[in-house]
């Protein structure tokens, strides 16, 4: 299930930008009925990593973090999406924090 979400995130971040993509995934979470809190946070994060193996796209940490954040919240694990930037040299990274665990 993660591969289609990764494709959606990849295309959406390229075409719509970060803010609209995060908004899209937040709306999708509200539209869909919340799944039961089954599985651990680690198992959901691992599912996203496994989904990346099936895609010919070069999935960056941003897309992986967005999908991980979506899946964790959808399955009852409150998570926050974090994005950090360094100015010199310019670089960025995205990660998800859930119950003091860091994913991506």
């Amino acid at each position: 299930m993660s591969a289609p979400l990764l494709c959606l995130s990849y295309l959406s971040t390229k075409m719509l930008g970060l803010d609209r993509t995060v908004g899209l995934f937040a709306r999708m979470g509200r539209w869909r009925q919340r799944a039961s809190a089954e599985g651990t946070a680690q198992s959901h994060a691992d599912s996203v990593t496994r989904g990346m193996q099936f895609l010919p796209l070069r999935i960056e940490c941003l897309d992986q973090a967005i999908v991980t954040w979506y899946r964790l919240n959808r399955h009852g694990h409150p998570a926050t999406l974090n994005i950090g930037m360094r100015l010199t040299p310019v670089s960025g990274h995205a990660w998800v924090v859930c119950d003091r665990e860091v994913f991506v």
Side-chain angles (χ1 to χ4, degrees):
M1 179 64 179
S2 293
L5 291 172
L6 286 163
C7 287
L8 176 62
S9 177
Y10 177 86
L11 294 172
S12 180
T13 54
K14 306 309 179 260
M15 296 172 63
L16 302 176
L18 175 61
D19 290 340
R20 288 182 178 166
T21 299
V22 171
L24 170 70
F25 275 80
R27 282 190 303 279
M28 281 177 23
R30 287 192 297 269
W31 291 338
R32 296 187 66 181
Q33 183 179 10
R34 183 177 219 169
S36 62
E38 59 186 45
T40 64
Q42 183 65 51
S43 67
H44 291 292
D46 290 344
S47 171
V48 174
T49 304
R50 282 192 306 274
M52 291 172 47
Q53 297 173 11
F54 300 105
L55 299 175
L57 306 170
R58 185 168 185 262
I59 301 296
E60 301 286 338
C61 62
L62 178 61
D63 301 312
Q64 185 181 359
I66 290 170
V67 174
T68 301
W69 167 74
Y70 169 78
R71 282 191 53 115
L72 288 173
N73 281 304
R74 175 148 163 55
H75 289 280
H77 301 283
T80 57
L81 176 65
N82 297 284
I83 300 170
M85 295 295 296
R86 179 177 28 192
L87 296 177
T88 308
V90 175
S91 66
H93 184 60
W95 66 96
V96 176
V97 177
C98 178
D99 296 329
R100 297 186 183 140
E101 288 185 75
V102 178
F103 300 102
V104 182

